[in-house]
Amino acid sequence: LLENASEIISIYSSSLKLTYISPSVTKILGYTPQEMMSGKDLDRLTRKGEQELNSMFERLLENPKNSLTIQYTFMKKDGEKIFLEVTGRNLLDDPAINGIILNSQDITERKRAEKEERMRSRMQALSENSPDMIIRLNTAGQFFYCNPMVERYLSIAPKDLINQTLSTVEINGVLSDFFKDAIKNIKANKEKVESDITFDSQFGETIMHISAIPEFNENELETILFVSHDITNAKRCLLYTSDAA
């Protein structure tokens, strides 16, 4: 059980000397228990991680009834950096343990997921406040996301587009054709597509520069992000300048 456990169990003496570590350490960190007992438990910590661990030991000795949880990075034997979450308890008075016991779990995937979620939240906030029209479609032409600017240019509320497809909603034909062609080209070439599109909106004739950006999940094309920037005024100014000249 200890060899295949999903966590590492280690015991330290009151002088902070490692006295026991479970065989599961080899599966999780790559080191044998003997290597860890010879000093790898601290050698592979960053300075910040070592400070966190020492601080936890001090607090556990000062307040034996409290358990504490910290997180730090650890360098595995193969050189990979992982995140560990460590919960410590002072069981020096327990004759069966007679030490400070640490339960350590690899939380690298959790930390990565949390980081990705933070990035998604930041991108969501930027998208919601963007002056550009932003739409995400899957490879079948289904709407996954639309920012508020969609209603301004297409006169359709974003909530009425989500989960619909290009074939089931009525949007401007020029735009719909561009979306379909871009999806087809990206599925074939896996490359970004850009173009200037002219269509009628509530503002009259509107010119958009649209970038269709492929989004991959584990090298498989999953969705396509369409970012449409209104260049109507810029085009008109350019045309006016050309005519004046």
Side-chain angles (χ1 to χ4, degrees):
L1 285 174
L2 289 174
E3 287 177 359
N4 296 292
S6 60
E7 64 178 8
I8 302 166
I9 301 169
S10 51
I11 301 175
Y12 285 81
S13 68
S14 58
S15 60
L16 309 186
K17 178 179 174 59
L18 181 62
T19 60
Y20 171 81
I21 191 163
S22 60
S24 55
V25 69
T26 304
K27 176 183 175 183
I28 297 172
L29 300 182
Y31 289 105
T32 65
Q34 292 74 23
E35 288 174 316
M36 292 296 285
M37 297 284 283
S38 67
K40 293 299 181 184
D41 60 319
L42 299 179
D43 286 351
R44 306 296 275 179
L45 292 178
T46 62
R47 179 172 296 180
K48 182 180 179 182
E50 189 173 354
Q51 290 172 345
E52 290 280 349
L53 192 61
N54 287 332
S55 176
M56 183 178 73
F57 281 135
E58 290 175 7
R59 286 182 287 164
L60 287 172
L61 290 172
E62 291 172 358
N63 301 285
K65 294 182 179 180
N66 296 337
S67 65
L68 294 172
T69 299
I70 62 172
Q71 296 177 1
Y72 55 77
T73 57
F74 190 94
M75 195 71 72
K76 293 173 59 176
K77 190 171 185 176
D78 62 6
E80 179 187 359
K81 184 176 74 173
I82 66 171
F83 289 92
L84 294 178
E85 183 173 81
V86 181
T87 298
R89 290 171 294 158
N90 185 338
L91 297 179
L92 286 165
D93 292 337
D94 186 330
I97 303 296
N98 190 29
I100 295 174
I101 187 168
L102 305 183
N103 295 74
S104 306
Q105 291 185 321
D106 180 358
I107 60 166
T108 307
E109 288 303 317
R110 191 176 90 195
K111 295 286 283 187
R112 184 177 293 118
E114 290 172 352
K115 182 179 180 180
E116 289 176 356
E117 182 59 33
R118 287 195 302 272
M119 292 296 293
R120 277 195 294 268
S121 297
R122 290 172 187 167
M123 291 301 296
Q124 180 87 358
L126 289 171
S127 177
E128 293 293 310
N129 295 286
S130 173
D132 295 335
M133 183 172 70
I134 300 175
I135 295 172
R136 177 175 281 112
L137 298 169
N138 69 3
T139 55
Q142 183 180 26
F143 289 85
F144 273 16
Y145 172 78
C146 302
N147 76 337
M149 294 302 289
V150 166
E151 187 166 8
R152 182 175 180 182
Y153 285 101
L154 303 185
S155 300
I156 305 174
K159 64 181 179 62
D160 294 331
L161 286 175
I162 301 303
N163 295 325
Q164 298 295 320
T165 65
L166 289 170
S167 60
T168 60
V169 295
E170 292 185 10
I171 64 173
N172 184 278
V174 175
L175 274 177
S176 181
D177 288 343
F178 174 79
F179 290 154
K180 291 175 183 177
D181 289 342
I183 291 172
K184 182 179 179 180
N185 288 334
I186 290 175
K187 286 171 69 174
N189 303 314
K190 306 295 190 296
E191 294 179 353
K192 177 180 177 181
V193 174
E194 292 185 271
S195 186
D196 292 345
I197 303 296
T198 302
F199 65 98
D200 291 328
S201 71
Q202 62 173 322
F203 307 109
E205 186 179 76
T206 301
I207 307 172
M208 287 277 196
H209 178 78
I210 306 180
S211 298
I213 306 165
E215 298 178 315
F216 299 92
N217 182 19
E218 296 181 354
N219 295 321
E220 182 177 348
L221 179 63
E222 187 173 58
T223 53
I224 300 167
L225 187 69
F226 292 86
V227 181
S228 306
H229 182 66
D230 191 337
I231 59 172
T232 307
N233 290 334
K235 285 286 189 179
R236 285 174 181 166
C237 288
L238 183 61
L239 180 62
Y240 176 79
T241 302
S242 299
D243 290 343

